[in-house]
Amino acid sequence: MSYIEKKYNTKIKETFGQLSILDDSLLIQLSKKSVKNVNEIAKLCADFNHNINLILKKYYPEIREMNDKVIIKSTLKFYYDLIYKLTDLVRNIENIQKIDQEYYDKLIEFINEKESLISGKYRIISAQELSAFYDQNSRQNLEKILLEKIESKSRNYFTFGSLEEEIKKIALMAGSSSVIITVADKLCKEDLESAKSIIIFDIGEDQDFKYLTKIGEEIKKYLDSKNYESIVKNGTIITDAKLLPDKN
């Protein structure tokens, strides 16, 4: 095993350890069985997504040992399904504002069964996929497909709340640590003559600066889909959408 493979194997294990901590935080939020903590759940979903993308993009491609790949891929599959389930939960909360208690119970059960699922169901699937991948020399993007699926889930737009709520939800799901909406001033109108609102977003200290760009792009896509004009700057979006400013 090469030095870089050992190093990234260690990094993956450390990241999985961080994900286990997030598991505990998520269980606390789910045990409340309340729609009031939807923002906390959405933020945790974004944190899961961020860590999984880090493994897929940076660390996993350097792993060569088949047994290690199976173990890592099995865990990734568990978290891919968890992210999907959390995205579905947030969407349903935005839609109907009331969730059956059994919905929370099944999610809690899924997380509590993590180890058995990873060592059983997901390990079997991962071993079969990797075997087919190498036996048939069809290396064309098996990992890329998984990555694209995860990223596509984080781009789902929730269209059941107010425009302000939707923007904040999209920003949180993309990894933002905070979002503030305020009224555009004269200075901003030099950038966009029809400007009415400013959206200011931020990321955590431990996040890569590129995530600031990604968040801006996600919000702009949503505004574009609603036929609003907007300009993205570092951590700021100027738009002609008339948004209600946050209360001080």
Side-chain angles (χ1 to χ4, degrees):
M1 184 184 293
S2 67
Y3 167 78
I4 192 68
E5 189 173 356
K6 286 181 180 177
K7 177 182 177 181
Y8 282 173
N9 228 326
T10 300
K11 289 287 186 182
I12 289 171
K13 289 177 182 176
E14 290 174 353
T15 306
F16 282 159
Q18 293 169 8
L19 288 170
S20 292
I21 295 173
L22 291 176
D23 291 343
D24 294 336
S25 298
L26 179 59
L27 284 171
I28 291 172
Q29 295 300 329
L30 293 174
S31 66
K32 296 177 183 177
K33 300 181 180 180
S34 171
V35 299
K36 294 180 180 179
N37 59 341
V38 61
N39 286 341
E40 288 80 359
I41 294 174
K43 180 64 170 63
L44 284 167
C45 185
D47 290 340
F48 282 119
N49 194 45
H50 169 73
N51 281 283
I52 291 300
N53 282 339
L54 179 64
I55 292 173
L56 282 169
K57 291 178 179 178
K58 187 173 182 179
Y59 304 140
Y60 183 71
E62 298 296 330
I63 305 302
R64 297 289 178 265
E65 290 289 333
M66 180 61 74
N67 190 52
D68 290 337
K69 289 177 78 72
V70 170
I71 293 171
I72 294 165
K73 195 176 183 70
S74 302
T75 306
L76 290 176
K77 280 187 171 293
F78 169 82
Y79 281 108
Y80 166 68
D81 280 355
L82 178 60
I83 290 168
Y84 179 85
K85 290 175 186 292
L86 290 177
T87 303
D88 186 62
L89 173 64
V90 173
R91 185 189 297 112
N92 277 300
I93 290 176
E94 289 296 317
N95 184 7
I96 58 179
Q97 287 293 309
K98 186 177 181 181
I99 302 295
D100 193 302
Q101 298 294 296
E102 187 178 352
Y103 199 114
Y104 293 104
D105 291 337
K106 287 188 177 297
L107 253 175
I108 291 169
E109 181 182 3
F110 178 77
I111 297 167
N112 286 331
E113 291 181 350
K114 169 184 168 181
E115 296 304 327
S116 61
L117 286 168
I118 290 173
S119 62
K121 169 186 173 182
Y122 292 120
R123 187 180 181 91
I124 292 171
I125 294 172
S126 297
Q128 290 173 341
E129 287 182 352
L130 286 168
S131 177
F133 177 74
Y134 286 104
D135 290 347
Q136 298 174 14
N137 197 29
S138 57
R139 192 181 285 269
Q140 48 208 48
N141 306 326
L142 191 61
E143 278 78 22
K144 182 182 176 183
I145 291 171
L146 178 60
L147 173 59
E148 287 176 349
K149 283 183 178 180
I150 290 176
E151 289 184 334
S152 70
K153 294 304 175 186
S154 70
R155 290 196 295 268
N156 285 330
Y157 295 141
F158 308 117
T159 56
F160 304 105
S162 68
L163 194 59
E164 295 84 4
E165 289 172 340
E166 302 302 325
I167 289 169
K168 290 184 177 182
K169 194 68 62 186
I170 290 164
L172 284 170
M173 294 294 284
S176 177
S177 60
S178 66
V179 186
I180 298 173
I181 296 174
T182 186
V183 178
D185 55 25
K186 291 181 180 179
L187 185 63
C188 287
K189 290 185 178 181
E190 293 179 5
D191 297 299
L192 182 63
E193 188 176 347
S194 58
K196 294 184 178 69
S197 305
I198 307 172
I199 304 163
I200 303 167
F201 49 92
D202 201 1
I203 54 175
E205 294 180 358
D206 61 335
Q207 287 180 282
D208 193 300
F209 185 75
K210 66 183 179 182
Y211 281 91
L212 206 61
T213 302
K214 177 186 174 185
I215 296 164
E217 289 173 349
E218 293 298 323
I219 298 174
K220 190 176 190 309
K221 285 178 188 175
Y222 175 72
L223 289 169
D224 288 347
S225 74
K226 299 297 182 183
N227 297 318
Y228 290 114
E229 188 178 357
S230 57
I231 294 174
V232 183
K233 292 187 170 184
N234 288 339
T236 304
I237 292 181
I238 302 164
T239 178
D240 64 349
K242 190 172 183 180
L243 304 173
L244 293 174
D246 293 320
K247 296 179 181 179
N248 294 327

